[in-house]
Amino acid sequence: MLLKNTLKSAAVVLRTWTAFSGSPCGRVTAGRPQCRLGAWSHSVRSHENFTSQSVRQYAQAVRKKQEFQSQLQDLSPSMLKPEYASVPLAHTVDDVVKKLLSLELASHSEKLRLKKEQLVAKVRRDENDRSSPEVKIAILTAQIRNFQEHLQKHPKDKANKRWMLMSIDQRSKMLKVLRKTHYDAFEKVCQELGISYTFPPEYYRRATRRWLAKKALCIKVFKEVQKQKAEQRNKMTRRVALCGSVSQLPFVRSIQIKRIRRADKALVDNPKLIDMSNPVTHQPAAGSYGTNVQTGEWSTGLCSCCSDLLVCGLGFLCPIALGCYTANKYGENACLACVPGGMAAMRTHMRLTYGIQGTICNDALMTCCCGIFETCRMAREIRIRNGEA
């Protein structure tokens, strides 16, 4: 307002100065303009005309709110409440009592409850149905329309808007499940309740720099993992091709992964351990283990104690400890040495795995008669195969 008055005063001063310095003015004396009386009166009249002009007001378009039709409009005010509709006496009372029993003086919550019952009656499966998905969708639809009507009058009510969005999301999930399970019921619900179902949009994500970098890192890690797995498969295939495929034997199925990794490491570090002179060309079938030809030999003799003094010393001091150590190194439970016949079974398994010739009877006799010596030889064989001796 102050700026407006200042601009008006400046315009008046400028026009007055123009009137004094214009054509009506005469000669200048001592630096001052000499004007006639008519020119002065003309300038004063022009000033009055300028100040008496009214400020123009331009009309602005008023945006009208979109009218939202309430879902409770179809409820007649003369309709009785549900609890009094079945009472014959309620239809014969006077007008004042009838207003109290009808919807004319009913609250909004009572009208909304009656509207929910009407929508439920359209889609329910039977008269006692109160928990089916169709009934829940009808109740949610009435609540959503009530929230929409409220937000038309109060658009800044954030709490009701949040509840409305939550109800819409819950109804969309229920409609999606109903469409997959009972398509006929889904069509009936949409038709009776006036719901226009739209398919959810496809997954979309903005490709930011951070997302692209994260995706590239994940792809790189995935490729490295696949490369490592391929190398492990190739190593296993190479080991099976060199040593013979024994994975079909039921004994080998119980071997732990730790033992297999140690055997792989020993084969890679010591290629001389691989004996290609007598490769296995025939695999045993189910129930015919005796047909497998074993042509290998033990790496050391029965009495070769000097080849590994640590094992032999442990065997003579504490045979049980040596048996537990051998079973653990072979990948089995250490308590196998304490089980009767456990070392004989392990010798048979070791002989079949390493391709050493012999029989089950020979295994039982060797472990029974020459227990300490045979346990030492088995421990030395494992250490040599694992590249530790």
Side-chain angles (χ1 to χ4, degrees):
M1 190 66 183
L2 180 62
L3 180 61
K4 185 177 181 181
N5 294 335
T6 305
L7 293 175
K8 282 185 178 182
S9 303
V12 171
V13 172
L14 182 61
R15 289 202 175 197
T16 304
W17 175 256
T18 305
F20 276 106
S21 60
S23 58
C25 298
R27 62 183 179 275
V28 179
T29 304
R32 297 178 181 177
Q34 301 292 332
C35 301
R36 295 189 299 271
L37 182 61
W40 175 257
S41 61
H42 177 71
S43 62
V44 173
R45 196 179 303 111
S46 300
H47 171 65
E48 292 177 354
N49 293 337
F50 176 76
T51 58
S52 63
Q53 289 181 356
S54 60
V55 180
R56 296 181 181 181
Q57 300 290 342
Y58 295 97
Q60 297 181 357
V62 179
R63 296 181 180 180
K64 294 183 179 180
K65 293 184 178 181
Q66 184 179 2
E67 295 182 359
F68 187 82
Q69 186 177 1
S70 175
Q71 63 174 346
L72 306 178
Q73 289 181 356
D74 56 345
L75 299 178
S76 176
S78 60
M79 183 186 302
L80 293 176
K81 296 180 182 180
E83 55 267 22
Y84 303 114
S86 59
V87 180
L89 185 61
H91 299 277
T92 59
V93 297
D94 55 350
D95 296 340
V96 178
V97 179
K98 187 174 289 186
K99 287 182 180 180
L100 296 174
L101 302 181
S102 63
L103 298 178
E104 186 174 356
L105 300 178
S107 62
H108 181 77
S109 59
E110 293 177 346
K111 294 180 181 179
L112 183 61
R113 184 168 62 252
L114 179 59
K115 190 63 181 179
K116 290 180 181 179
E117 293 296 333
Q118 290 181 356
L119 295 180
V120 167
K122 293 181 180 180
V123 298
R124 63 187 179 184
R125 299 178 182 179
D126 50 53
E127 295 182 357
N128 299 325
D129 183 16
R130 300 297 299 178
S131 60
S132 62
E134 296 90 332
V135 173
K136 295 180 181 178
I137 291 173
I139 295 175
L140 287 174
T141 301
Q143 293 178 357
I144 290 169
R145 291 174 181 173
N146 182 46
F147 288 140
Q148 291 175 348
E149 180 182 355
H150 176 79
L151 289 174
Q152 288 293 327
K153 298 178 182 179
H154 310 281
K156 294 185 179 181
D157 193 347
K158 303 300 182 184
N160 278 275
K161 185 177 181 180
R162 183 171 63 253
W163 294 336
M164 182 188 69
L165 295 177
M166 292 169 61
S167 301
I168 291 175
D169 185 56
Q170 185 179 1
R171 187 182 68 174
S172 300
K173 293 179 180 178
M174 298 181 69
L175 285 172
K176 182 180 179 181
V177 175
L178 187 64
R179 180 176 174 270
K180 291 182 178 180
T181 55
H182 299 87
Y183 189 77
D184 297 337
F186 167 77
E187 284 188 340
K188 180 183 177 182
V189 168
C190 293
Q191 183 178 0
E192 294 292 339
L193 301 180
I195 300 175
S196 57
Y197 181 81
T198 56
F199 293 96
E202 296 182 358
Y203 176 76
Y204 172 78
R205 183 170 182 172
R206 184 180 178 185
T208 59
R209 290 184 178 179
R210 180 178 180 182
W211 181 78
L212 291 174
K214 186 176 180 180
K215 183 178 180 180
L217 178 62
C218 292
I219 293 175
K220 184 177 180 180
V221 171
F222 176 76
K223 289 182 178 180
E224 290 294 331
V225 172
Q226 294 296 323
K227 185 177 179 181
Q228 292 179 1
K229 290 183 178 180
E231 291 179 356
Q232 292 179 0
R233 287 195 297 268
N234 294 335
K235 187 184 295 184
M236 183 65 67
T237 304
R238 189 166 56 250
R239 186 181 70 87
V240 171
L242 294 176
C243 300
S245 177
V246 294
S247 60
Q248 297 180 358
L249 295 176
F251 298 105
V252 183
R253 295 175 186 173
S254 62
I255 297 177
Q256 298 179 0
I257 300 177
K258 181 174 66 174
R259 172 182 164 277
I260 298 177
R261 290 179 178 175
R262 288 179 179 177
D264 292 339
K265 184 178 179 180
L267 291 176
V268 173
D269 297 340
N270 300 316
K272 296 181 179 180
L273 296 177
I274 304 175
D275 186 11
M276 294 299 296
S277 59
N278 297 310
V280 179
T281 58
H282 177 73
Q283 300 300 327
S288 59
Y289 304 113
T291 59
N292 187 14
V293 179
Q294 307 294 337
T295 58
E297 296 291 342
W298 293 95
S299 301
T300 59
L302 184 63
C303 299
S304 301
C305 301
C306 298
S307 59
D308 196 337
L309 297 178
L310 178 63
V311 172
C312 293
L314 181 61
F316 283 105
L317 291 177
C318 186
I320 299 298
L322 179 61
C324 296
Y325 170 79
T326 305
N328 186 31
K329 287 299 250 181
Y330 192 63
E332 299 292 340
N333 196 334
C335 297
L336 183 64
C338 303
V339 178
M343 299 305 295
M346 191 172 70
R347 188 181 190 277
T348 304
H349 189 281
M350 185 185 301
R351 187 172 49 77
L352 292 175
T353 303
Y354 295 154
I356 300 173
Q357 60 182 353
T359 60
I360 298 177
C361 182
N362 186 22
D363 298 334
L365 291 176
M366 291 297 292
T367 54
C368 180
C369 299
C370 307
I372 300 176
F373 295 97
E374 189 60 37
T375 305
C376 292
R377 182 164 67 172
M378 293 166 60
R380 290 194 301 271
E381 188 71 23
I382 294 173
R383 288 168 58 84
I384 292 173
R385 298 278 181 172
N386 293 341
E388 299 177 3

